[in-house]
Amino acid sequence: MAFDGVWDRRSLLRGAAVAAGAAATVPMLGAAVTARAGGGDTDSDIPPDTLPGGAYDKYVAQLAAAGKFSGVVLLSHKGRTVLSRSYGMADKEKGIANSEDIAFSLSSAGKPFQAVAVLQLAQQGKLKLSDTVGTYLTGFTKDIAEQVTIHHMLANISGMESPDEDVQRIFQSREEVQEFYGQWARHSKLAAPVGTPTGHAGAEIVIPALIVQAVTGKTYWDYVEENIFKRCGMTGSAFFTRPQWLTDAHIAHPYMTLADGSVVDAVRNLDKSSSNPSTPGKNPGRGFIDAPGDGGFATAPDLVRFARALSDGTVLERPYADVLTAAKSPHMPQSFGAYQMPVRIVSGQWVHGRAGANPGVGASWNIYPYTGWVGVILGNGDGVALQELSGREVQAVTGGAPGGGGGGG
């Protein structure tokens, strides 16, 4: 499964200090950069740091010029693009540059789609958040089947512990992925009382997706593509398979750094593994498709469309969208766990979002519901601190210290 992009307490405090400074002015890159400022939005509440040539723009350009960022950043205000930058290559072998049209692996940043899918079924009366695992699935231990509810898993307070994954395994089909993770989740155990925060155990991601499948009769991937991506107008987003990753010109390849400092295209080098302490031995290309409940691919504009669909009732009825983002459990004084995402208070306003990382993959999206902003960061290389980059975005939009508000993942 994808590395969980939720910042821990230590990294939050470190990120707050790092992000407090201003970005230096640097020249823009040449042909590797595309830029677009949108729509003539003249509202007085557009912070200068979010504009083309502002502090955030200069900071990202500085990272790209130093070879520390390859990907796309986008800031949207009330449906209008304020800043859009693309750097680096989506596929170096084929000479395809990154752009707004390129879909990037989301890693853990795709986990909230699973919560949205569950809430769609809840609003239709097809399941209840208080239902236990055993209401829909068999093969789990008695204590998990009878005590752990859908709510506990979405809020990451199930008390479950998941078995280790075989990160060296190379999957060859959707069916193999489905079978493996179904059995893997059933080997979970209850390691703490139900209601105990679990640090996002993998089973809390897979089991709700298995419940979606049991209720709908569709694979998780098909259900989300039909009922979330399609309804939101996310035409560039999907749960792509490895063969598609290798052949589709609109999918960014993950460029993974090895222990010797060399960089390889992970999906074209399945025998190579990450040496990053956060993702040891992993290679995102080994999964034929992302595990049920996790990941997916999206373009930056599609993630803005998803954010807008959450706010206008397109993908969830408004009360259920509020259930998705409502604070469920405290993480830090101004950071809370919601359903498969953290939410936090920065400069007196809520910020909802999710981040995720894997070797050669970094993704983050933030929604600022009070002011109508959406920020997206999608990367396809190692070397940049995603938390710091997301923190600079939060700082540009809110004017606040990004780490002071809590989680960014």
Side-chain angles (χ1 to χ4, degrees):
M1 295 183 70
F3 167 62
D4 202 329
V6 178
W7 322 127
D8 61 24
R9 183 184 302 268
R10 181 179 301 173
S11 63
L12 278 169
L13 295 176
R14 182 171 61 248
V18 171
T25 300
V26 297
M28 295 297 166
L29 299 184
V33 182
T34 62
R36 182 163 62 87
D41 194 334
T42 58
D43 291 357
S44 60
D45 55 349
I46 302 293
D49 286 354
T50 65
L51 293 169
Y56 180 61
D57 188 13
K58 293 175 181 176
Y59 170 72
V60 179
Q62 182 183 36
L63 289 179
K68 294 181 178 180
F69 178 71
S70 171
V72 174
V73 297
L74 190 152
L75 293 176
S76 172
H77 182 247
K78 298 180 180 179
R80 296 180 179 178
T81 298
V82 174
L83 177 71
S84 178
R85 300 290 192 196
S86 301
Y87 296 94
M89 304 299 291
D91 188 337
K92 296 177 183 178
E93 182 175 296
K94 295 182 178 179
I96 301 170
N98 282 323
S99 71
E100 281 192 356
D101 295 329
I102 297 293
F104 290 76
S105 175
L106 295 178
S107 186
S108 291
K111 289 175 180 176
F113 298 142
Q114 170 234 106
V116 171
V118 170
L119 289 171
Q120 286 180 340
L121 299 176
Q123 75 181 21
Q124 295 167 25
K126 294 181 179 179
L127 57 74
K128 299 190 298 294
L129 297 174
S130 59
D131 288 340
T132 61
V133 172
T135 305
Y136 303 97
L137 304 173
T138 61
F140 289 86
T141 61
K142 187 173 185 291
D143 50 6
I144 290 177
E146 295 182 355
Q147 297 180 45
V148 176
T149 69
I150 295 172
H151 163 74
H152 292 137
M153 292 183 287
L154 296 186
N156 306 126
I157 55 171
S158 70
M160 288 192 297
E161 181 178 274
S162 304
D164 292 335
E165 290 184 74
D166 180 4
V167 298
Q168 297 296 321
R169 179 168 179 161
I170 300 174
F171 292 90
Q172 301 297 339
S173 69
R174 286 164 54 116
E175 292 75 19
E176 183 184 351
V177 172
Q178 182 75 46
E179 173 66 18
F180 174 86
Y181 282 101
Q183 293 304 314
W184 176 79
R186 286 173 168 84
H187 284 91
S188 299
K189 60 183 180 181
L190 202 59
V194 174
T196 303
T198 54
H200 301 267
E204 293 178 330
I205 308 305
V206 172
I207 297 173
L210 298 179
I211 291 174
V212 169
Q213 295 180 163
V215 171
T216 65
K218 299 179 180 180
T219 69
Y220 171 78
W221 309 301
D222 290 342
Y223 178 87
V224 171
E225 288 182 352
E226 293 171 13
N227 294 279
I228 298 178
F229 295 169
K230 185 175 181 180
R231 285 170 62 177
C232 295
M234 298 169 66
T235 56
S237 303
F239 289 94
F240 294 119
T241 62
R242 185 169 62 246
Q244 290 172 300
W245 210 345
L246 286 167
T247 59
D248 193 323
H250 294 92
I251 306 174
H253 285 231
Y255 288 93
M256 177 176 69
T257 303
L258 305 182
D260 63 3
S262 61
V263 177
V264 299
D265 179 336
V267 77
R268 288 193 175 106
N269 292 273
L270 301 184
D271 60 321
K272 306 297 185 183
S273 299
S274 172
S275 61
N276 188 310
S278 299
T279 55
K282 289 191 173 183
N283 180 324
R286 292 179 185 142
F288 187 86
I289 192 171
D290 284 313
D294 201 6
F297 294 76
T299 66
D302 275 358
L303 289 172
V304 174
R305 294 181 183 104
F306 172 67
R308 298 289 293 180
L310 279 178
S311 69
D312 65 14
T314 296
V315 73
L316 281 175
E317 295 174 5
R318 293 293 296 275
Y320 281 92
D322 292 339
V323 171
L324 174 73
T325 58
K328 310 297 191 299
S329 58
H331 289 168
M332 293 178 66
Q334 293 179 294
S335 177
F336 308 86
Y339 276 168
Q340 301 296 16
M341 69 172 81
V343 295
R344 69 266 198 208
I345 302 169
V346 183
S347 296
Q349 63 173 288
W350 283 110
V351 181
H352 306 152
R354 185 71 205 226
N358 245 336
V361 172
S364 169
W365 52 267
N366 287 313
I367 300 171
Y368 304 80
Y370 287 5
T371 56
W373 285 90
V374 180
V376 179
I377 302 164
L378 297 173
N380 66 324
D382 294 325
V384 63
L386 184 62
Q387 180 190 355
E388 181 181 341
L389 185 51
S390 179
R392 293 288 186 135
E393 173 208 297
V394 174
Q395 186 177 33
V397 173
T398 68

